[in-house]
Amino acid sequence: MADELIPETPDETEEPIKQRKNGLYQSVSDELAENMKTGWADTELHDLRPIAQAAHTAARRAALSARFPGERLVIPAGNLKTRSNDTEYSFRASTEYAYLTGDQTEDGVLVLEPTKTGHQATIYLLPRSDRENGEFWLDGQGELWVGRRHSLTEAEQLLGIPAKDVRELAAALKEATGPVRAVRGHDAGIEAALTDKVTAERDEELRVFLSEARLVKDEFEIAELQKACDSTARGFEDVVKVLDKAEATSERYIEGTFFLRARVEGNDVGYGSICAAGPHATTLHWVRNNGPVRSGDLLLLDAGVETNELYTADVTRTLPINGRYTELQRKIYDAVYEAQEAGIAAVKPGAAYRDFHDAAQRVLAEKLVEWGLVEGPAERVLELGLQRRWTLHGTGHMLGMDVHDCAAARTETYVDTTLEPGMCLTVEPGLYFQADDVSVPEEYRGIGVRIEDDILVTEDGHRNLSDSLPRRSDEVEAWMAGLKG
């Protein structure tokens, strides 16, 4: 990475542009400073069309306005976070902000000002880098260092929201009167400006509402989730094709292979990919991905592409690394498949949210009793939760812009609710026999199996958005054989 420069005499009325202490250029001559102000073409973009989801984000803001009449609402995108010294993590806008605006730029803030008829929305953004004070080439976040930003006029055309300079917002919020609610945890500067105007309870009500608003997806969101699942399926195919290279290296080859697909076809992975080979498959969130990949073992791959509009898939397949399940691996895998089939069948409008979990858990409890691993009957096992030693987790969760979407929703509107068309959830039963679990026969130890798909509730039942990936054990083997050529 290159070193930034330091201006010789910054304007005393402005905050000095922050530079590296040990940059090779410690000053800027007056002649160079003047030279850099001129000779640049006008690059303003004209006749821009609104982004694809502009009508949807407008409808979401209208619903928000109706819920909190007469109150100022502040929803920040968040700021860059330092990774080490003066390098930052890649920025990912807060879900609430992106959901309401379609914008993904750091430091942005959406403000809904109350009016007599509802609210006036304004989006506060960083404008183009200033060329008069040298910010565009001297500052570490200037355009010559990190790329061009949209002008405020361009942002208005794209987002359909009036745009203003975000650097003026904190001072304005300090002077604001009347009730205010804000989404916390993303922008410390905005929170400081509102410190005497908000309460944790009122802000939590805003956060909960925005979480529950995402429970039912609109047409744009469903299309994005399907796109995410389709890209994820291609990423799984990529992995199968390079399993020989993973055997020669480690689980990281699998992680890197899937990540390439996510970056080429989307924004990123929606969460840290779980590339768990052998006994690592029994660790639910194995994201170290530094273990060996061995023929004869299973690979539990839990990964999802996040689209450019920040909707993520969440899919799991448990694959035989050499292409063929052993007899015991197949027995365990088929039990999980049967449980998933029961769970998916329970997803339909009007069903209780918990039904798919209960259906899958019953199958797994019956299998554990049948195999002699726990004393039956299955009803006793389920009543006491004894199956959880080997099933561990719930059978699914809501899915959307967050992999565990709508997490702040009230219990009565989430796990205690009934399913509606437009809801999207995962169905992901699993069986995990830890390597040190001496309560099961030795041959079971170190085997972990999970199968996960993304299921959309429809008017007449459900649709499996990730069904392009095979699930049945014989179909998995045939699919892998075909990919390996």
Side-chain angles (χ1 to χ4, degrees):
M1 295 179 68
D3 287 325
E4 296 105 319
L5 310 180
I6 296 181
E8 191 172 57
T9 54
D11 189 331
E12 293 182 0
T13 63
E14 298 180 358
E15 183 178 341
I17 295 172
K18 185 179 180 181
Q19 303 295 326
R20 290 194 180 100
K21 177 180 178 181
N22 291 306
L24 292 175
Y25 291 104
Q26 290 296 310
S27 64
V28 175
S29 68
D30 292 341
E31 290 79 5
L32 177 57
E34 286 303 313
N35 177 277
M36 291 297 289
K37 292 180 183 180
T38 61
W40 305 101
D42 179 6
T43 60
E44 183 75 8
L45 303 176
H46 302 282
D47 301 320
L48 294 174
R49 294 181 176 274
I51 57 175
Q53 70 268 43
H56 296 285
T57 56
R60 297 167 194 165
R61 294 192 299 272
L64 176 61
S65 173
R67 172 62 179 81
F68 298 104
E71 302 185 58
R72 180 177 287 103
L73 309 174
V74 182
I75 302 95
N79 315 125
L80 291 171
K81 289 181 172 60
T82 299
R83 180 182 185 275
S84 175
N85 188 27
D86 56 358
T87 60
E88 294 85 18
Y89 287 104
S90 296
F91 180 73
R92 203 279 196 182
S94 75
T95 292
E96 296 88 352
Y97 174 86
Y99 176 74
L100 292 167
T101 67
D103 181 58
Q104 297 180 35
T105 55
E106 64 268 19
D107 301 326
V109 183
L110 174 68
V111 178
L112 271 62
E113 296 280 351
T115 67
K116 292 181 179 180
T117 58
H119 286 83
Q120 171 61 54
T122 303
I123 192 164
Y124 289 84
L125 302 166
L126 284 172
R128 295 284 308 278
S129 292
D130 192 329
R131 301 205 173 211
E132 280 300 308
N133 69 1
E135 174 197 357
F136 80 108
W137 71 291
L138 293 172
D139 188 270
Q141 295 301 318
E143 291 185 5
L144 293 195
W145 292 94
V146 299
R148 183 187 188 278
R149 295 192 287 266
H150 283 299
S151 70
L152 297 182
T153 300
E154 292 168 352
E156 288 184 355
Q157 294 177 46
L158 290 166
L159 304 175
I161 313 171
K164 293 184 179 180
D165 190 336
V166 71
R167 293 172 296 187
E168 303 168 358
L169 179 58
L173 290 176
K174 287 180 180 179
E175 302 301 321
T177 59
V180 183
R181 296 179 191 258
V183 174
R184 300 190 183 198
H186 302 296
D187 192 318
I190 293 300
E191 290 182 32
L194 294 171
T195 186
D196 60 343
K197 307 176 192 302
V198 295
T199 67
E201 182 181 0
R202 289 162 56 80
D203 290 351
E204 181 63 12
E205 288 176 354
L206 172 61
R207 177 170 172 260
V208 167
F209 173 81
L210 289 173
S211 194
E212 293 180 354
R214 303 198 307 276
L215 284 167
V216 175
K217 272 59 181 178
D218 59 36
E219 298 91 340
F220 178 86
E221 295 178 288
I222 292 169
E224 285 295 308
L225 286 167
Q226 184 65 71
K227 186 188 302 181
C229 287
D230 292 344
S231 290
T232 297
R234 289 188 284 273
F236 275 63
E237 291 174 355
D238 295 338
V239 167
V240 171
K241 292 175 182 177
V242 300
L243 282 177
D244 58 333
K245 294 182 174 63
E247 287 187 59
T249 52
S250 75
E251 295 163 339
R252 289 190 177 180
Y253 203 97
I254 295 167
E255 179 183 0
T257 298
F258 187 84
F259 179 70
L260 177 61
R261 177 66 64 174
R263 285 294 283 164
V264 168
E265 295 194 2
N267 176 62
D268 205 333
V269 289
Y271 53 95
S273 298
I274 298 167
C275 308
H280 288 162
T282 66
T283 301
L284 298 186
H285 288 166
W286 176 260
V287 293
R288 298 177 195 173
N289 298 337
N290 59 2
V293 178
R294 299 188 178 99
S295 178
D297 283 347
L298 296 175
L299 166 68
L300 190 156
L301 178 58
D302 183 337
V305 171
E306 178 186 73
T307 69
N308 289 319
E309 306 305 333
L310 307 186
Y311 288 84
T312 186
D314 182 8
V315 178
T316 306
R317 292 293 184 269
T318 305
L319 312 173
I321 292 168
N322 64 10
R324 299 285 295 181
Y325 296 100
T326 67
E327 183 178 351
L328 180 59
Q329 288 170 350
R330 187 185 304 275
K331 181 176 83 166
I332 296 171
Y333 183 95
D334 288 349
V336 175
Y337 171 76
E338 186 178 330
Q340 194 201 27
E341 283 284 273
I344 292 174
V347 177
K348 53 190 174 183
Y353 174 85
R354 295 176 181 270
D355 285 355
F356 75 93
H357 169 73
D358 293 343
Q361 290 290 298
R362 172 166 291 278
V363 171
L364 296 179
E366 290 170 349
K367 295 295 182 182
L368 292 167
V369 171
E370 177 186 325
W371 299 340
L373 302 183
V374 64
E375 181 183 347
E379 286 75 11
R380 169 184 172 272
V381 173
L382 292 167
E383 181 181 355
L384 299 176
L386 300 179
Q387 84 285 358
R388 293 180 61 186
R389 180 182 178 104
W390 303 284
T391 66
L392 293 173
H393 55 81
T395 309
H397 52 79
M398 292 294 183
L399 182 69
M401 296 183 81
D402 291 334
V403 64
H404 297 141
D405 208 27
C406 314
R410 293 166 295 172
T411 300
E412 58 265 32
T413 64
Y414 194 145
V415 296
D416 288 340
T417 193
T418 56
L419 298 179
E420 300 177 38
M423 289 182 170
C424 187
L425 51 92
T426 67
V427 178
E428 51 173 318
L431 282 173
Y432 312 92
F433 299 101
Q434 304 301 320
D436 59 350
D437 186 353
V438 297
S439 73
V440 299
E442 184 175 0
E443 61 267 25
Y444 283 76
R445 300 172 199 169
I447 295 178
V449 173
R450 179 163 68 250
I451 312 172
E452 178 180 20
D453 284 88
D454 302 341
I455 311 298
L456 174 70
V457 183
T458 62
E459 294 288 345
D460 56 358
H462 61 260
R463 186 170 98 226
N464 186 343
L465 301 180
S466 48
D467 66 354
S468 62
L469 283 173
R471 293 185 294 123
R472 211 173 63 200
S473 57
D474 59 335
E475 294 175 343
V476 169
E477 291 176 334
W479 170 70
M480 292 183 69
L483 289 172
K484 291 183 175 183

